[in-house]
């Protein structure tokens, strides 16, 4: 049995005053699932004092040094995180991150004792020209390090065109990609059947139940709907019941 994860990515949002939302999320009963929030680094230490999992949104591939503005995986751990995202499509786009860079960051995260949530997903043009599974194959092969195990790695499938748009793939489309990812993990890793695969992109309370019923969907990586407890807790509830 794979333990399900409701993860929230707060991106470059939230101030001190928003910690109350995290506190409400942390105090919502959710024994059956893992709940993880990835706040901006400015809130990580405070949020890590709450009874929930926390994660960074990115980490550097090096363990320390002259990298102004970056954050090391060990610093995320030191601030109380147990996870970090790597390879989010906004990092791939805004910072030109390649699969090789994301692989190195994921190794750094794992070496620091974090669980890497490695993000992959196709763009709209890739979806439309029929290359989704080819792109996914390249990202899986390139971004996931060989040291990945079910204990230190989670995969998040986030179609770029579904992020923040309100557009969502059909259940058949989500199922096809998640099954494809599962087959890759099973072929490559001894415990590939135990690795969790999250869906992300416009997940909301209104569509969560349908998404969580899809085979090989082990939870969600939620952006906008994770910022407020009133929006996120129904998603947690839907996952706990799935
Ligand atoms: P939205 O839920 O706002 O579409 O964002 C998804 C996402 O990018 C999570 O990492």
């Amino acid at each position: 049995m794979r333990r399900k994860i409701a993860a929230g990515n707060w991106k470059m949002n939230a101030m001190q005053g928003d910690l109350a939302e995290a506190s409400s999320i942390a105090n919502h009963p959710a024994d059956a699932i893992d709940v993880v929030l990835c706040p901006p680094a400015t809130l990580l230490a405070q949020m890590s004092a709450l009874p929930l999992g926390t994660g960074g949104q990115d980490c550097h591939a090096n363990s320390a040094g002259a990298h102004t503005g970056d954050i090391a995986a060990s610093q995320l751990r030191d601030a109380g995180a147990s996870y970090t995202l790597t390879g989010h499509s906004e990092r791939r786009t805004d910072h030109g991150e390649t699969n090789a860079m994301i692989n190195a960051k994921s190794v750094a995260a794992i070496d620091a004792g974090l669980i890497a949530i490695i993000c992959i997903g196709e763009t709209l043009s890739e979806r439309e020209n029929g290359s989704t599974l080819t792109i996914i194959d390249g990202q899986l092969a390139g971004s996931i390090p060989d040291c990945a195990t079910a204990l230190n790695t989670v995969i998040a499938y986030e179609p770029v065109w579904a992020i923040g748009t309100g557009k969502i793939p059909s259940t058949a489309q989500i199922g096809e990609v998640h099954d494809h990812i599962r087959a890759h993990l099973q072929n490559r890793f001894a415990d590939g059947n135990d690795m969790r695969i999250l869906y992300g992109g416009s997940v909301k309370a209104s569509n969560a139940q349908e998404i969580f019923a899809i085979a090989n969907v082990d939870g969600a990586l939620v952006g906008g709907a994770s910022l407020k407890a009133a929006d996120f807790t129904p998603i947690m509830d839907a996952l706990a019941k799935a």
Side-chain angles (χ1 to χ4, degrees), residues 3 10 20 31 66 90 103 132-133 153 182 187 190 206 217-218 221:
R3 192 170 157 87
W10 280 20
D31 290 343
E90 287 148 19
N103 189 307
T132 296
L133 296 182
T153 300
R182 175 68 61 212
N187 284 337
S206 56
V217 172
D218 303 312
L221 179 56

Side-chain angles (χ1 to χ4, degrees), residues 9 11 88 158 162-164 201-202 221-224:
N9 174 8
K11 308 192 180 185
H88 192 281
E158 299 203 301
I163 294 176
S202 296
L221 179 56
V222 184

Side-chain angles (χ1 to χ4, degrees), residues 10-240:
W10 280 20
K11 308 192 180 185
M12 198 171 71
N13 298 298
M15 304 286 182
Q16 294 291 321
D18 298 299
L19 285 167
E21 294 294 334
S23 190
S24 298
I25 291 168
N27 290 317
H28 188 76
D31 290 343
I33 61 170
D34 291 336
V35 178
V36 181
L37 291 179
C38 300
T42 49
L43 300 179
L44 184 58
Q46 286 157 291
M47 211 182 269
S48 296
L50 299 172
L52 82 178
T54 58
Q57 298 177 4
D58 175 52
C59 68
H60 199 277
N62 291 359
S63 56
H67 302 288
T68 303
D70 279 311
I71 194 155
S74 56
Q75 293 173 315
L76 297 173
R77 188 99 174 93
D78 187 52
S82 38
Y83 296 78
T84 187
L85 306 179
T86 57
H88 192 281
S89 69
E90 287 148 19
R91 300 288 314 174
R92 291 178 187 260
T93 304
D94 294 355
H95 300 272
E97 292 191 6
T98 62
N99 288 325
M101 290 161 72
I102 293 155
N103 189 307
K105 285 169 183 250
S106 302
V107 171
I110 291 166
D111 283 350
L114 297 174
I115 297 171
I117 303 178
I118 304 175
C119 305
I120 59 172
E122 82 286 0
T123 63
L124 184 58
S125 61
E126 290 160 349
R127 165 64 62 180
E128 286 175 348
N129 71 23
S131 58
T132 296
L133 296 182
T134 310
I135 292 295
I136 295 296
D137 281 340
Q139 292 175 334
L140 289 168
S143 304
I144 307 179
D146 290 335
C147 64
T149 69
L151 292 178
N152 64 27
T153 300
V154 173
I155 308 302
Y157 169 56
E158 299 203 301
V160 179
W161 52 276
I163 294 176
T165 59
K167 290 186 196 142
I168 192 143
S170 67
T171 53
Q173 287 172 322
I174 296 174
E176 179 189 37
V177 176
H178 278 244
D179 288 352
H180 192 79
I181 295 170
R182 175 68 61 212
H184 172 99
L185 298 176
Q186 284 171 333
N187 284 337
R188 185 167 159 206
F189 299 103
D191 61 357
N193 196 48
D194 298 329
M195 284 188 191
R196 278 117 14 125
I197 308 172
L198 312 183
Y199 169 78
S202 296
V203 176
K204 300 186 171 27
S206 56
N207 57 26
Q209 192 185 353
E210 192 179 18
I211 294 168
F212 296 149
I214 302 169
N216 284 313
V217 172
D218 303 312
L221 179 56
V222 184
S226 70
L227 290 165
K228 298 277 177 220
D231 296 327
F232 196 56
T233 53
I235 297 172
M236 292 162 54
D237 290 342
L239 186 61

